Amino acid sequence: MDISKRIQIKHSNITEYESSVTSPVNIAVIKYWGKRNSELILPTNSSLSCTLSQDHLNTKTTIRASPKFNTDRLWLNGVEEKISASTRLTNCINKARELRKQLENALEDQEENTSEKPLSKWKIHIASENNFPTAAGLASSASGYAALVQALANLYELPLNQTELSKIARIGSGSACRSMFGGFVAWRAGVDPNGEDSYAECVAPESHWPDLHALILVVSDAKKGTSSTSGMSTTVKTSELFPMRIEKVVPERMKKMEEAIKNRDFNSFAILTMKDSNQFHSVCLDTYPPIFYMNDISRGIVHLVHAFNEQKDSTTGKPLGIRAAYTFDAGPNAVIYAEKQHIRELVRIFMHFFPPATTQPASTYFPDPFGVLQSESD
Ligand code: DP6
């Protein structure tokens, strides 16, 4: 998260305040899917993600508060949107304003009372831009709400730490709470009906495993067919596999994943990541009516990663081991986790089998470049 303090802008006889924040996306390796309370956005299970470097995929949000603004306004990627159309957005803004108001009451803050109204009463203009496809399963709501909440916190100078702020980001979009931290981040589901113990925390900083890289394979930048919000709500209502995932699988996986990260154990990290992605998409398929987020190209990528991981050393015949892991969110795009020394080779292989703007027929998306899978089934 790129945080800078708010700035003060003085022109003619008025003072305005502005804050700007750039926030990164996070990609879950143990997926959040399902809510126990959809208003407060309380999840059915804990989840864990890696926050990506914000040099690549990010949301930049600038908020200006001015005594001369008449209404709150929002521009998303340059297009004006109605703030009132989104309850989640208004919930986040209202929460931040309420906290600002408490601060003003407590401090009897004179500083900004230069106009007739205190800052909590000023209207705001928000401009938010993603540098990647919005709503294509690339975690745009995560970086979007994280940037919004951090920018509001800076604007209002709220004395809250990242964990506290993660609870506000959570009411915007569940996965956003994890983007309030860099590195490896757990969202603890919690048990409190009011969500006081449902927050994100950093389990290891980015510097703990600098060699771990993420490769984003944009299969499609089209807006997804079923939003995460409606998809997970139908899953909770209809999937018979879902309770098993929540009760039996995820709690154990969270522990194992934290252990794998602590030990920089790529083998365990990768297996858990791939299995969790597969199980998330299985409960989507078990949802009625079923939800399909992955397409033929996504499945081809899965196949290719397994083939890569099954490769043997050409001279010794020894297995080279698991060197890449795929994961898919609510869309067909793949995120590949791998250690730095394998990235170049992986890029070469993906570019070879899935050249940009490919027109290959679906059947050729199931390559067996190393002859491994074929020879095993023969
Ligand atoms: C598949 O956070 O977008 O990416 O809380 O309804 O806004 P809402 O859902 P959202 O869901 C993300 C789901 C996921 C998995 C994950 O990021 O953990």
Side-chain angles (χ1 to χ4, degrees), residues 257-300:
M257 183 58 93
E258 282 185 56
E259 200 61 23
I261 292 168
K262 207 171 99 200
N263 299 327
R264 289 187 283 268
D265 169 1
F266 187 79
N267 184 69
S268 306
F269 172 87
I271 294 173
L272 291 165
T273 297
M274 293 187 279
K275 284 190 165 184
D276 205 69
S277 173
N278 294 342
Q279 190 175 75
F280 154 50
H281 290 278
S282 307
V283 297
C284 287
L285 191 61
D286 188 50
T287 297
Y288 193 81
I291 310 164
F292 307 101
Y293 286 124
M294 292 165 69
N295 64 17
D296 278 348
I297 302 182
S298 320
R299 285 185 284 274

Side-chain angles (χ1 to χ4, degrees), residues 307-323 342 370 372 376:
F308 178 75
N309 285 337
E310 299 265 328
Q311 253 187 310
K312 293 193 171 94
D313 184 288
S314 55
T315 34
T316 64
K318 278 196 179 151
L320 291 172
I322 295 186
R323 289 154 296 144
H342 304 301
F370 317 111
V372 188
E376 273 185 358

Side-chain angles (χ1 to χ4, degrees), residues 26 28 30-33 35 41 47 88 141 172-176 178 228-229 232 280 329-330:
N26 72 74
I30 303 293
K31 304 292 186 195
Y32 146 55
W33 195 252
K35 295 181 182 71
I41 312 201
S47 55
R88 289 164 172 226
S141 66
S173 177
S175 54
R178 298 185 310 235
S228 311
T229 310
M232 68 177 84
F280 154 50
D329 278 343

Side-chain angles (χ1 to χ4, degrees), residues 56-327:
H56 305 291
L57 307 185
N58 64 49
T59 302
K60 185 173 181 193
T61 296
T62 301
I63 307 182
R64 186 179 283 210
S66 169
K68 65 172 195 199
F69 292 159
N70 300 322
T71 61
D72 290 335
R73 294 174 73 182
L74 163 78
W75 289 262
L76 277 186
N77 298 316
V79 178
E80 183 159 13
E81 308 275 343
K82 250 196 153 133
I83 294 192
S84 57
S86 166
T87 322
R88 289 164 172 226
L89 198 57
T90 41
N91 283 350
C92 285
I93 297 171
N94 290 346
K95 182 75 194 164
R97 275 207 173 112
E98 184 191 307
L99 293 165
R100 172 68 198 179
K101 202 163 186 305
Q102 284 171 14
L103 198 64
E104 285 163 358
N105 291 344
L107 299 175
E108 290 182 356
D109 190 339
Q110 294 305 309
E111 188 204 336
E112 282 106 20
N113 285 348
T114 42
S115 79
E116 303 103 72
K117 294 183 283 184
L119 187 56
S120 62
K121 296 230 166 77
W122 296 8
K123 298 295 178 196
I124 54 176
H125 284 182
I126 308 168
S128 191
E129 285 197 14
N130 293 330
N131 68 350
F132 59 93
T134 302
L138 281 175
S140 58
S141 66
S143 54
Y145 276 101
L148 174 85
V149 168
Q150 189 68 59
L152 285 167
N154 296 355
L155 181 76
Y156 292 150
E157 297 192 317
L158 301 179
L160 301 177
N161 62 28
Q162 293 309 104
T163 296
E164 287 303 316
L165 290 179
S166 79
K167 292 190 215 165
I168 309 179
R170 192 203 72 220
I171 60 172
S173 177
S175 54
C177 71
R178 298 185 310 235
S179 273
M180 300 308 292
F181 292 90
F184 302 85
V185 186
W187 173 11
R188 310 291 177 198
V191 289
D192 179 30
N194 299 317
E196 281 311 308
D197 56 359
S198 187
Y199 52 73
E201 62 184 5
C202 181
V203 298
E206 193 183 332
S207 59
H208 170 71
W209 199 350
D211 275 355
L212 187 69
H213 284 231
L215 211 58
I216 316 277
L217 307 184
V218 180
V219 171
S220 163
D221 59 6
K223 208 171 158 145
K224 58 196 172 200
T226 310
S227 73
S228 311
T229 310
S230 82
M232 68 177 84
S233 148
T234 320
T235 299
V236 173
K237 284 187 211 129
T238 65
S239 167
E240 287 165 40
L241 295 181
F242 183 69
M244 193 276 293
R245 166 169 171 74
I246 297 313
E247 288 154 29
K248 299 227 160 60
V249 181
V250 178
E252 199 55 31
R253 254 182 209 166
M254 281 293 289
K255 284 191 210 142
K256 287 187 179 153
M257 183 58 93
E258 282 185 56
E259 200 61 23
I261 292 168
K262 207 171 99 200
N263 299 327
R264 289 187 283 268
D265 169 1
F266 187 79
N267 184 69
S268 306
F269 172 87
I271 294 173
L272 291 165
T273 297
M274 293 187 279
K275 284 190 165 184
D276 205 69
S277 173
N278 294 342
Q279 190 175 75
F280 154 50
H281 290 278
S282 307
V283 297
C284 287
L285 191 61
D286 188 50
T287 297
Y288 193 81
I291 310 164
F292 307 101
Y293 286 124
M294 292 165 69
N295 64 17
D296 278 348
I297 302 182
S298 320
R299 285 185 284 274
I301 292 168
V302 168
H303 195 81
L304 186 55
V305 170
H306 282 290
F308 178 75
N309 285 337
E310 299 265 328
Q311 253 187 310
K312 293 193 171 94
D313 184 288
S314 55
T315 34
T316 64
K318 278 196 179 151
L320 291 172
I322 295 186
R323 289 154 296 144
Y326 53 78
T327 186

Side-chain angles (χ1 to χ4, degrees), residues 6-45:
R6 70 176 192 186
I7 54 166
Q8 199 179 40
I9 303 144
K10 286 190 175 187
H11 45 95
S12 48
N13 56 349
I14 61 161
T15 301
E16 300 180 331
Y17 292 94
E18 186 175 287
S19 95
S20 228
V21 167
T22 305
S23 176
V25 307
N26 72 74
I27 303 292
V29 288
I30 303 293
K31 304 292 186 195
Y32 146 55
W33 195 252
K35 295 181 182 71
R36 61 178 204 272
N37 177 327
S38 44
E39 218 165 292
L40 295 173
I41 312 201
L42 300 177
T44 48
N45 61 280

